[in-house]
Amino acid sequence: MKLKPVILSFILCICTQIAIAGGDTNLVTIKNYKFTPQEITIKRGETVRWENREKRQYHSVWFEALGEPEPEDYLFPEDTYEREFKQAGSFPYRCGPHPEMTGTVHVTN
């Protein structure tokens, strides 16, 4: 049986969402110049994935308060960035090109 491309894309999308929901990856979307959710609470050892869902705009995820340099690789539409958090605490971040875009990852033990 041959699946049509639309059906195959739908099945792959659903499988990806199930894998994300069932794993230790937490999703933050980037759209309309916002991180959603703006604050997220996870357990130590879990990963956060940021997905740029803008149509044309690039962004970055910059943990400036940790003393890290601004990322050179921007997230263009449909790009993703993942980061595992191994320590408990609150970790504020912002978009380098758009400093009004802010978010915080809260990590619990």
Side-chain angles (χ1 to χ4, degrees), residues 5-6 35 92:
V6 173
F35 293 110

Side-chain angles (χ1 to χ4, degrees), residues 39-56:
E39 294 193 29
I40 188 168
T41 301
I42 64 169
K43 294 179 184 172
R44 187 169 46 94
E46 290 185 338
T47 299
V48 176
R49 176 199 312 248
W50 287 265
E51 292 183 358
N52 184 352
R53 295 190 180 168
E54 299 279 13
K55 290 188 179 186
R56 294 181 199 88

